[in-house]
Amino acid sequence: MRELERSSGVLLHLSSLPNKYGIGTLGKDAYDFVDFLAETNQRLWQILPIGPTGYGNSPYQSYSVFAGNLLFISLELLVEDGLLAEENLLEVPEMSDKRVEYDLVMDEKTVLLRRAYEAFRSNFDDWKEEYYTFLGEHSWWLTDYALFRALKSTDDDLCWNEWPEKLRNRDAHELDVAMLEQDARVNFHRFVQFVFFRQWFQLKNYANSKGILIFGDLPLYVSLDSSDVWGNQDIFLLDEKGQMTHVGGVPPDYFSETGQYWGCPVFDWDRLAEREYDWWAARVHFNLRMFDLVRIDHFRGLESFWSIPASEKNAINGEWWPAKGFEMLSLLKSQLGYLPVIAEDLGIITPEVEELRDAFDLPGMKVLQFAYASDETNVNLPHNYGSNFAVYTGTHDNDTTLGWLKTATKEESDNLKKYFNTSWSNIHRALIETAWASVAKIAIVPMQDLLELDGKHRMNTPGTVHNNWEWRMEWKMLKKSHKDFLVELTKKYNRRLKV
């Protein structure tokens, strides 16, 4: 993909799509959402990370940076493929259409995927050519991941660093024995990934045929409890027992007075350099096949990162340590020629971070909810930034715009009234229009903001673990007036889809 022209899009995670089986999937409603984007002349569909999640359900804490989340597999498409019977779907209990009930969805979907796997095995000759092609392309990461998930399911879901020493340290003989013992479970997880990627690329190809680009999200850090860390222990700061010595996070900021303690391992950048950044290169190449462009979350961590001793309870007592992002990005640019990457450069940004971003001509991010807390010099105000940015009313970590307006400080309220010559009730739409009118090459609105939803529909509250990542859209929320508004803005400010 070459450099984006002036364009716009919508942020909506797959989990938030409508679907009667408890969570959004890669099925019909995803295709309908692509059609909605095309009808309203949008160019981009931005989503959150799509990997398999564990406790807390955060897409930023995944068991693998390569695998797909089985929750997003469409049961209806499995029926169309002959891997499930229509009556199987009648056994799924009724679930909320307003929030994702992760545990219930996981239990029910796993049962049905096991049935689909048995049908797949019974009719393997019909699938073997496509399946073996998939394995040939993905075994370099899939073998470790499938074994990792199999071992977790037989060992009380323990983190890999609590496994027996030889497995923890990846003794070659012990791994061979485990592969033989876990053969059935390993092959089930291989099948799940085969189905996920099959459905994913069918959807992506459809979106691309409509002129819609999929805008993915690449978290800087990975979960300790992941096949990635288990398989690459040397590139993370761990002790001899696989325990973290330091963890990632950010110092106190807008979101938290004690900072954010993410509890994930930080990189050993010297070791990454010795390995010529092979893991990072594989990850970025993989993501740029999955998506048309990606956002690197917490981009500033490629210049320097907030390293917190693992023994700390919060993020206050950390230190900034240098990273080697310039060398790593230089390698990737030499391989790719052009980096279709957006830099999430929010928070404490130094001139060095800006220099790293600009050295590779990467668009940064601006968030309008941050623009009115100070005076006219605020860097998030559209009159203070150039075109090489993606502007948002808010991100998945913000309250909805309507929710934010209801809780705005007096200073924010006063500044908003000065900035917009409109009634307070229309400011949420004025903010979206301001994003579209700005010189930023990309403008993105979260679906909740387009639908004019209040803070009850917020996606995530940083620093908390409950009631996050559960919001779901219902088609009845989307009115003709919302579509007309989006079409009008996109035409008025020259962001129309060009196919």
Side-chain angles (χ1 to χ4, degrees):
M1 189 201 83
R2 300 311 300 169
E3 186 173 356
L4 269 179
E5 298 176 344
R6 184 172 171 83
S7 55
S8 60
V10 177
L11 168 60
L12 180 75
H13 193 36
L14 290 175
S15 63
S16 297
L17 285 165
N19 183 275
K20 64 182 178 180
Y21 300 112
I23 193 170
T25 73
L26 299 168
K28 179 181 182 300
D29 291 283
Y31 288 79
D32 289 345
F33 191 74
V34 168
D35 290 342
F36 154 73
L37 292 172
E39 289 164 9
T40 54
N41 285 316
Q42 302 313 295
R43 179 69 161 147
L44 299 167
W45 178 6
Q46 184 171 355
I47 62 174
L48 305 183
I50 57 176
T53 56
Y55 173 76
N57 308 308
S58 170
Y60 295 89
Q61 291 286 325
S62 175
Y63 289 134
S64 169
V65 300
F66 300 107
N69 194 332
L70 67 81
L71 297 178
F72 298 144
I73 291 173
S74 166
L75 299 176
E76 297 95 327
L77 291 181
L78 293 180
V79 171
E80 290 182 16
D81 287 335
L83 294 174
L84 284 179
E86 188 77 46
E87 54 264 30
N88 293 147
L89 304 190
L90 300 177
E91 301 169 18
V92 180
E94 186 174 336
M95 301 185 204
S96 169
D97 58 0
K98 294 180 172 59
R99 309 293 293 185
V100 179
E101 300 176 58
Y102 280 96
D103 291 342
L104 182 57
V105 175
M106 177 63 77
D107 290 345
E108 296 300 326
K109 189 155 282 189
T110 300
V111 168
L112 291 176
L113 283 171
R114 292 194 182 282
R115 290 188 185 178
Y117 177 50
E118 292 307 314
F120 171 80
R121 292 179 63 199
S122 298
N123 298 281
F124 186 68
D125 284 347
D126 296 337
W127 293 95
K128 65 180 180 181
E129 183 176 351
E130 187 178 353
Y131 181 65
Y132 285 142
T133 297
F134 170 77
L135 293 184
E137 293 177 355
H138 293 270
S139 287
W140 58 273
W141 65 267
L142 181 56
T143 299
D144 261 4
Y145 171 73
L147 179 59
F148 171 83
R149 293 304 301 269
L151 289 169
K152 282 184 68 66
S153 66
T154 58
D155 207 355
D156 297 325
D157 203 33
L158 292 175
C159 182
W160 63 267
N161 60 14
E162 298 182 66
W163 293 348
E165 181 180 358
K166 287 187 176 181
L167 269 181
R168 183 182 74 218
N169 294 334
R170 300 180 58 81
D171 175 83
H173 174 70
E174 199 69 18
L175 290 178
D176 288 342
V177 171
M179 285 295 291
L180 289 172
E181 292 178 346
Q182 301 292 335
D183 182 66
R185 291 185 176 91
V186 166
N187 283 323
F188 170 70
H189 285 290
R190 284 173 170 150
F191 163 76
V192 168
Q193 293 305 306
F194 168 66
V195 171
F196 175 90
F197 279 83
R198 189 171 189 271
Q199 292 189 2
W200 169 260
F201 280 107
Q202 287 172 346
L203 174 63
K204 182 178 182 294
N205 290 339
Y206 180 79
N208 290 167
S209 75
K210 294 277 189 173
I212 306 301
L213 303 179
I214 306 294
F215 185 176
D217 199 325
L218 191 157
L220 179 72
Y221 291 125
V222 301
S223 172
L224 170 68
D225 193 12
S226 66
S227 60
D228 311 290
V229 179
W230 178 52
N232 298 275
Q233 296 171 45
D234 59 316
I235 64 173
F236 300 93
L237 292 182
L238 309 172
D239 65 19
E240 66 279 0
K241 293 185 178 180
Q243 300 292 332
M244 298 180 291
T245 61
H246 292 78
V247 301
V250 292
D253 63 5
Y254 173 90
F255 290 113
S256 173
E257 292 180 357
T258 57
Q260 295 180 45
Y261 182 102
W262 292 334
C264 48
V266 295
F267 295 107
D268 182 339
W269 281 98
D270 290 335
R271 179 57 183 147
L272 278 167
E274 290 172 1
R275 285 179 48 168
E276 298 181 328
Y277 308 103
D278 59 340
W279 180 85
W280 260 105
R283 187 184 182 196
V284 172
H285 280 276
F286 184 88
N287 273 269
L288 291 178
R289 182 170 177 244
M290 290 289 289
F291 312 109
D292 298 295
L293 71 162
V294 297
R295 183 189 85 135
I296 296 183
D297 185 56
H298 194 55
F299 176 82
R300 72 106 55 243
L302 294 179
E303 189 278 325
S304 59
F305 57 97
W306 191 244
S307 180
I308 310 160
S311 58
E312 294 288 332
K313 301 300 183 185
N314 58 45
I316 293 175
N317 295 320
E319 295 181 308
W320 289 110
W321 286 4
K324 296 181 182 290
F326 183 86
E327 292 86 346
M328 187 266 288
L329 290 172
S330 295
L331 172 67
L332 286 167
K333 188 171 183 179
S334 72
Q335 296 169 343
L336 294 164
Y338 165 68
L339 295 177
V341 168
I342 309 297
E344 188 272 287
D345 54 351
L346 306 176
I348 301 173
I349 301 303
T350 64
E352 290 79 10
V353 177
E354 294 176 344
E355 288 171 9
L356 177 63
R357 178 197 68 201
D358 295 344
F360 298 93
D361 198 30
L362 305 180
M365 286 178 57
K366 298 296 180 183
V367 178
L368 292 180
Q369 284 191 29
F370 300 151
Y372 302 94
S374 58
D375 62 19
E376 64 277 1
T377 65
N378 189 301
V379 296
N380 285 286
L381 286 167
H383 58 253
N384 288 326
Y385 55 79
S387 63
N388 202 26
F389 286 94
V391 60
Y392 295 74
T393 51
T395 74
H396 64 274
D397 281 335
N398 292 101
D399 201 344
T400 68
T401 291
L402 197 57
W404 168 67
L405 289 171
K406 289 180 178 179
T407 59
T409 66
K410 184 178 186 305
E411 184 175 18
E412 287 173 327
S413 298
D414 290 345
N415 287 333
L416 283 161
K417 290 170 184 174
K418 289 177 186 175
Y419 205 84
F420 296 105
N421 185 24
T422 186
S423 69
W424 183 255
S425 62
N426 287 328
I427 286 182
H428 61 284
R429 282 203 167 192
L431 281 159
I432 298 174
E433 181 160 3
T434 296
W436 258 241
S438 75
V439 296
K441 69 166 64 176
I442 296 170
I444 301 287
V445 61
M447 195 64 184
Q448 294 98 314
D449 285 356
L450 179 64
L451 298 176
E452 303 174 58
L453 300 176
D454 63 21
K456 292 183 294 185
H457 302 268
R458 181 174 184 162
M459 190 64 167
N460 176 53
T461 303
T464 68
V465 294
H466 300 294
N467 303 315
N468 294 323
W469 320 112
E470 296 176 359
W471 178 74
R472 298 186 64 203
M473 169 192 167
E474 301 172 75
W475 284 118
K476 65 183 180 182
M477 295 174 175
L478 181 60
K479 312 298 184 186
K480 182 176 182 297
S481 60
H482 298 135
K483 294 181 181 180
D484 291 345
F485 174 63
L486 195 54
V487 169
E488 177 188 355
L489 288 189
T490 305
K491 180 178 185 297
K492 182 177 180 180
Y493 296 110
N494 190 32
R495 294 186 183 274
R496 281 181 292 180
L497 172 63
K498 304 174 182 69
V499 181

